[in-house]
Amino acid sequence: MTTISCISPIDGSVYATRDALSKDAALDAVARARAAQTAWAARPLQERIDLVMGAIDQIEQSKERMTLELAHQMGRPVRYGGEFGGFKERASHMGRIAVESLAPKVIEDSDKALRKIAFEPHGVVFVVAPWNYPYMTANNTIAPALIAGNTVILKHASQTILVGEHLADAYHAAGVPKDVFQNIVLDHDTTSTLIAENAFDFINFTGSVGGGQAMERAAAGTFTGVATELGGKDPGYVRADADLDAAVDGLMDGAMFNAGQCCCGIERIYVHESLYDAFVEKAVAWVNALNLGNPLEQATTLGPMANVRFAKEVRAQIDEAVAMGAKAHIAKMPADNGGAYLTPQVLTNVTHDMRVMRDESFGPVVGIMPVKDDEEAIVLMNDSVFGLTAAIFTKDAVAAEAIGARLETGTVFMNRADYLDPALCWTGCKQTGRGAGLSELGYRALTRPKSYHLKKA
């Protein structure tokens, strides 16, 4: 039997171990989900909404469990209180817009004919969730999928294996039947086998580019829809007219929060040459004010990276950049142990020849480059194989919109970064993947259109 373990970044100890399901046991779970789906979809929409919102209430009642287990599993400092705020905001919005979003689109309703497009649930939705924001990223799909009438099977990342159990506890305590929402533990081979054997009707995957490619390869020929959110190298641009302090605070928080382990974290910054020196000085001061340490201590503002191997990759990118001429501005912090605890870093004299400006870092490091104008900034921002978000700091909304129209990205921010607005579609382009999460379009992704042409005469 295969076991899956979570190694805590706090001290390298084994925090939790679970047995992975065999293929037969996994297929049984899928069969139960499929058998339960028809009755679940037949329930009144408002009842499904209420049950999902009841699960959100259950999580709220156990926020301390969320906060403490997240610190142990992936290193987020307890001072930030887990991630319940965004978790509730997103689910609540999807609950509010469900009736309107899922209503049939009536083309004609006359004495001659009824023509409409209805939106039917796919059936069994498979959610493969990541460890970096393990509650929000999972529930971005779970909540609307259930509301839309699907049943859901969740496979969570090994690094945050207890999050799946917490979510299942909450949904079941709220009254969602156990076969309607199941959290299961799977190894990679069994996961691929289930997908290849057409076990699911829709798949949502958040993770690495390699992981997304594996999902698509497994699903090849099954005609199962696969939505992916994969790598990122999100840029920030500070125009000459920007509020400098706001730009520093917004972009550095976007680069460093959660030890830089954010899907839409800022990984490269381009600053107009007139503000460049001042921006760098303030950015270095901002990072030096961080307190790297044990996430269980209230004074800690920056915890360890979730795994030693993640920190190793970030160190390698930094070392390679410095060897190629980059300047590192942050001295090694006392808590940096050469393992998961990693000194956050600001790099200048960087170029796009360096991996730290090309490859996803997913850690607390950011490179800063001067630019002479919007045109140079646009070229550099688009010089990436990824495209999730881009942030522009400026007082000119017209200019920001015009620049945004030319950026190859899923979301354009002005004067903010690293935020997911549930009323807007969460999507990406290029190697960041494809799909539509949250908003009305999230419901379109989690349903299939069904057309009715009923001729009355």
Side-chain angles (χ1 to χ4, degrees), residues 5-16 72-73 158-159 306-307:
S5 295
C6 166
I7 307 300
S8 175
I10 293 177
D11 56 10
S13 64
V14 177
Y15 184 64
H72 281 287
Q73 290 175 96
S158 59
Q159 193 68 48
N307 194 287

Side-chain angles (χ1 to χ4, degrees), residues 2 4 20-24 26-27 126 155 185-197 200 214-215 218:
T2 303
I4 308 293
L21 293 185
S22 66
K23 176 187 173 182
D24 287 344
L27 286 171
F126 185 44
K155 174 197 176 298
V185 179
L186 297 174
D187 61 26
H188 293 317
D189 289 344
T190 303
T191 300
S192 295
T193 299
L194 291 176
I195 294 171
E197 294 186 3
F200 308 108
M215 292 284 159

Side-chain angles (χ1 to χ4, degrees), residues 106-117:
V106 178
I107 310 301
E108 177 187 359
D109 187 4
S110 68
D111 56 354
K112 296 180 179 179
L114 172 62
R115 295 184 295 137
K116 66 178 182 178
I117 304 170

Side-chain angles (χ1 to χ4, degrees), residues 48 73 222 302 304 313 346 380-381 423:
R48 298 197 302 269
Q73 290 175 96
T222 66
L302 186 72
E313 167 63 11
V346 174
L380 289 170
M381 293 171 88

